[in-house]
Amino acid sequence: MQLGITIPLQKTLKLPKQSYGEPEDLFFCWEVHRVKYEGCNTLVAVNANNRFGIVMSGIKASEWKNLPKLVEEGIEAGMYMEGFSMKEIDAYFNIAGPPVLTKTHGRKPVAGLNKAIEYMYYVPESLDKQRKFQAAHCWRMNRDICSPSGFEDYNEPKDFFRSDMERIGIIKNNKIIKFPIQ
């Protein structure tokens, strides 16, 4: 799995320049950025193929040092929130392979990241300061109608993500359970 980190995040974390990484199915690539949101350093990661995104906040300085683990935790929580079973989530991570930091994956995936971040500012709920994973923001972000890099039509990122899971063979017309925001 490739984690394409933005240049500002790379500078913030004082990481060396990243390579482009080996060509890979964009479904296993994520664009990762840090924004100041409601006064908190907030991590936003968006799938490069389908714009499925996660938002995490309240992250300690020591946790930023293990960015791959942090992003994986967020992706797992986002997938679980959207109704994927632990078996399906594990299958995704097994196929994706270990996380590797790389450069971002092109203009359209980065534009999707920027659009997801912009959309966050319209979410009426405030950050949940008691939790890292921001369920309300993720839920709303994944219901924004878009046309991501891996698809030609318009739909919600959660539906595009499910289509990718079917395309890869992890699920077969699986019924996704929807969890209400509390």
Side-chain angles (χ1 to χ4, degrees), residues 78-124:
M79 291 175 71
Y80 190 76
M81 182 182 78
E82 291 298 342
F84 292 99
S85 70
M86 286 310 296
K87 182 179 176 185
E88 294 161 343
I89 294 168
D90 289 343
Y92 174 80
F93 284 115
N94 286 336
I95 295 169
V100 176
L101 298 179
T102 66
K103 288 185 177 184
T104 55
H105 298 91
R107 288 182 178 170
K108 193 152 183 185
V110 172
L113 170 67
N114 291 334
K115 204 68 173 155
I117 291 168
E118 179 184 316
Y119 186 77
M120 258 180 34
Y121 289 92
Y122 295 100
V123 173

Side-chain angles (χ1 to χ4, degrees), residues 35-54:
V35 295
K36 196 72 142 175
Y37 182 71
E38 294 183 12
C40 298
N41 288 324
T42 303
L43 173 105
V44 180
V46 173
N47 188 279
N49 199 56
N50 53 51
R51 216 187 101 182
F52 181 81
I54 58 133

Side-chain angles (χ1 to χ4, degrees), residues 1-67:
M1 178 167 54
Q2 293 181 3
L3 306 178
I5 60 172
T6 61
I7 293 171
L9 177 58
Q10 177 183 317
K11 288 179 180 176
T12 299
L13 298 178
K14 297 180 177 134
L15 295 171
K17 281 191 171 187
Q18 303 299 310
S19 69
Y20 281 107
E22 296 298 317
E24 192 169 317
D25 184 329
L26 286 180
F27 180 46
F28 302 111
C29 300
W30 296 78
E31 309 299 10
V32 184
H33 189 55
R34 180 189 70 103
V35 295
K36 196 72 142 175
Y37 182 71
E38 294 183 12
C40 298
N41 288 324
T42 303
L43 173 105
V44 180
V46 173
N47 188 279
N49 199 56
N50 53 51
R51 216 187 101 182
F52 181 81
I54 58 133
V55 178
M56 297 179 77
S57 195
I59 302 164
K60 297 176 183 138
S62 61
E63 293 173 310
W64 283 101
K65 292 178 182 174
N66 195 350
L67 186 63

